[in-house]
Amino acid sequence: MNVARLAAVDAAQAARLLSEVREAALAGQRSRIAPRPVIEESWGRVLRNGVDPDRETHPGMLSTDEVRRRREESPLRHVLPVLREGLLSVADVAQHIMVVADADGRVLWREGCSPVLRKADGLGFEPGADWGEDAVGTNGVGTAVVVRRPVQVFAAEHFRRAHTSWTCTGAPITDPRDGRLLGVVDVSGPLETMHPATLAWVDSVAKLAEARLRELHLASLERLRAVAAPVLARVEGRALVVDATGWTAAVTGMPYTQRVALPKSLSPGLRWLPALGPCSVEPLADGWLVRAVSETALPSGAGAVVLDLAQPRRWSVSVSGGAGSWSRELTPRHAELLCLLAAHRSGRSAAGLAEDMFGDPSRTVTVRAEMSRVRRYLGTLLEHRPYRFCEDIDVEVLLPDDPRDLLPHSAAPAVLAARSAGRMP
């Protein structure tokens, strides 16, 4: 049964049906219809985290100063005009509100229909509130943060009983420079206003916001390029100027490359970068001046890799050894790939990874493109034909306490099977 379409015709009947499904799930019983997979998986995570479905206290609030600080530091502040133009005019007429939260699920901005804003106040759905899954259960903000894709949560699909008179639709917004999750834009309102097209609408506006961020990034590269030109004119040998995320503004003495993978913890001094080897790194404007140095300047080896998959929303890889230590936050897709390679130390072919990731061994082009991006920052730590970690590298994987919480965003067949079996892929 398509509950979304039923809700558009008869919201009350759909809400009653979902209430039966929810009560059966909380009681550990089977219902006459199954919840949608994204909702069922979210309920499972929430139950394992010990969230009380009947608790009505408001989620922990940030101070006004902390909300202000997060707003000032969030790149989402640059796309508020895009979100307002795309969502608010319709949301106000449709008795909805627009909510913008950060990657932690903290509400930073909230605007829209005044009566609905007052109702939201009663739930603590206001700036500074923690609307993550582990705080308030399944909802359009927190669940979208975890699964990294648009989610619509209608009526009793919400985990908290106090939220079951609402419909919420959230879509993630990612940083086009590095794929990092910036936050979620959500449209919420009374359950009778639910419409199945809302999901596509909110997702489209989120993509417009990402396009605007991409435009701003290109403009910032142009400004950095103007600063870089006179600096590179005085540099001998191979050098380039990159922004904080590794995108190239200008080069000298070497072929142009669009982006150089930088560790998250990059600092000035002698460093080893996978794409360039030993380098001298100096701060420059809003980026870095990177100069290649002698191969003997520092060792290029690395002794250990730590793949941190323990958190539900953020994953990272850390490298330590003779060339120093650094860490990098992973995109959802790269977290999946490195998880699979860590589980198969003998290696996987492109076809094998394609089957693990997509259930289709013919999708090798996609796998090779993604592995090429991974190797930009792991460099010689990864080998290919087949793809694998080098034999002399110690690889440690940090996993969630409950295997069912492994990479909750992932729909890769190998990861789904691992979660179901309670083991690594």
Side-chain angles (χ1 to χ4, degrees):
M1 178 180 293
N2 191 319
V3 177
R5 294 194 179 278
L6 174 61
V9 176
D10 190 336
Q13 181 183 352
R16 287 193 295 271
L17 181 61
L18 287 172
S19 181
E20 293 178 13
V21 174
R22 177 180 174 277
E23 294 305 317
L26 292 178
Q29 302 171 351
R30 295 180 64 87
S31 58
R32 52 191 172 120
I33 65 168
R36 294 186 292 137
V38 67
I39 300 299
E40 185 174 30
E41 291 170 6
S42 174
W43 286 351
R45 290 191 298 271
V46 170
L47 285 168
R48 291 193 292 276
N49 285 330
V51 178
D52 186 346
D54 296 313
R55 184 182 178 191
E56 296 188 12
T57 55
H58 295 178
M61 302 291 291
L62 297 176
S63 67
T64 302
D65 287 344
E66 178 62 13
V67 171
R68 184 183 302 111
R69 184 191 69 80
R70 292 195 182 207
R71 285 176 173 176
E72 291 172 350
E73 294 180 357
S74 173
L76 295 178
R77 71 187 188 278
H78 299 303
V79 296
L80 283 176
V82 175
L83 299 176
R84 287 171 176 141
E85 182 178 355
L87 297 175
L88 274 182
S89 59
V90 179
D92 195 47
V93 172
Q95 293 186 301
H96 280 81
I97 59 173
M98 178 190 79
V99 173
V100 181
D102 64 15
D104 295 325
R106 289 283 185 174
V107 177
L108 297 185
W109 292 276
R110 191 194 67 162
E111 303 175 28
C113 178
S114 297
V116 181
L117 286 172
R118 289 193 290 272
K119 290 179 181 179
D121 288 340
L123 299 176
F125 198 20
E126 52 190 316
D130 183 355
W131 224 253
E133 266 194 353
D134 51 358
V136 297
T138 307
N139 71 93
V141 172
T143 301
V145 165
V146 172
V147 301
R148 302 288 184 103
R149 60 182 184 271
V151 176
Q152 189 167 52
V153 183
F154 174 68
E157 289 182 326
H158 287 90
F159 187 77
R160 283 272 177 90
R161 195 178 307 276
H163 304 163
T164 57
S165 62
W166 284 70
T167 178
C168 303
T169 305
I173 300 176
T174 57
D175 192 326
R177 299 173 301 176
D178 55 14
R180 178 172 57 95
L181 179 68
L182 298 177
V184 168
V185 60
D186 170 87
V187 167
S188 294
L191 64 87
E192 61 269 14
T193 63
M194 188 271 179
H195 194 283
T198 305
L199 187 66
W201 168 45
V202 175
D203 185 34
S204 296
V205 175
K207 285 182 168 56
L208 287 175
E210 291 177 346
R212 176 57 179 156
L213 289 171
R214 193 172 294 109
E215 292 173 0
L216 293 172
H217 177 230
L218 292 176
S220 70
L221 276 180
E222 286 296 330
R223 293 191 295 271
L224 181 57
R225 191 168 290 120
V227 174
V231 173
L232 290 181
R234 300 190 298 268
V235 173
E236 296 182 358
R238 296 188 301 148
L240 70 165
V241 170
V242 297
D243 70 5
T245 53
W247 290 86
T248 303
V251 302
T252 186
M254 60 184 294
Y256 174 83
T257 182
Q258 187 178 52
R259 189 182 182 196
V260 173
L262 301 179
K264 182 179 179 180
S265 53
L266 184 64
S267 58
L270 288 176
R271 298 289 177 262
W272 182 81
L273 301 182
L276 300 171
C279 294
S280 169
V281 179
E282 304 171 32
L284 177 68
D286 293 321
W288 301 96
L289 170 62
V290 181
R291 293 184 291 179
V293 298
S294 168
E295 290 290 336
T296 60
L298 77 170
S300 59
V305 171
V306 177
L307 180 62
D308 188 351
L309 307 177
Q311 303 303 314
R313 300 191 291 263
R314 290 178 177 167
W315 318 279
S316 65
V317 60
S318 299
V319 177
S320 61
S325 301
W326 55 267
S327 64
R328 181 183 179 91
E329 189 170 323
L330 297 171
T331 65
R333 180 57 50 80
H334 290 185
E336 292 171 328
L337 284 168
L338 291 179
C339 176
L340 293 170
L341 293 181
H344 298 277
R345 287 303 304 270
S346 61
R348 294 290 278 167
S349 66
L353 284 175
E355 186 166 12
D356 291 341
M357 295 285 292
F358 310 111
D360 181 358
S362 69
R363 293 186 61 177
T364 56
V365 173
T366 303
V367 166
R368 289 193 178 102
E370 290 295 339
M371 286 304 303
S372 176
R373 297 183 181 101
V374 172
R375 296 187 76 207
R376 288 177 189 170
Y377 53 86
L378 287 182
T380 57
L381 304 182
L382 284 180
E383 298 179 355
H384 63 294
R385 298 180 183 176
Y387 293 110
R388 63 190 184 277
F389 283 101
C390 294
E391 291 183 2
D392 58 346
I393 298 298
D394 293 327
V395 179
E396 180 183 3
V397 183
L398 305 181
L399 296 170
D401 293 335
D402 193 312
R404 291 172 292 182
D405 293 328
L406 175 67
L407 301 176
H409 69 281
S410 179
V415 177
L416 293 177
R419 288 206 297 256
S420 177
R423 55 169 174 77
M424 277 284 284

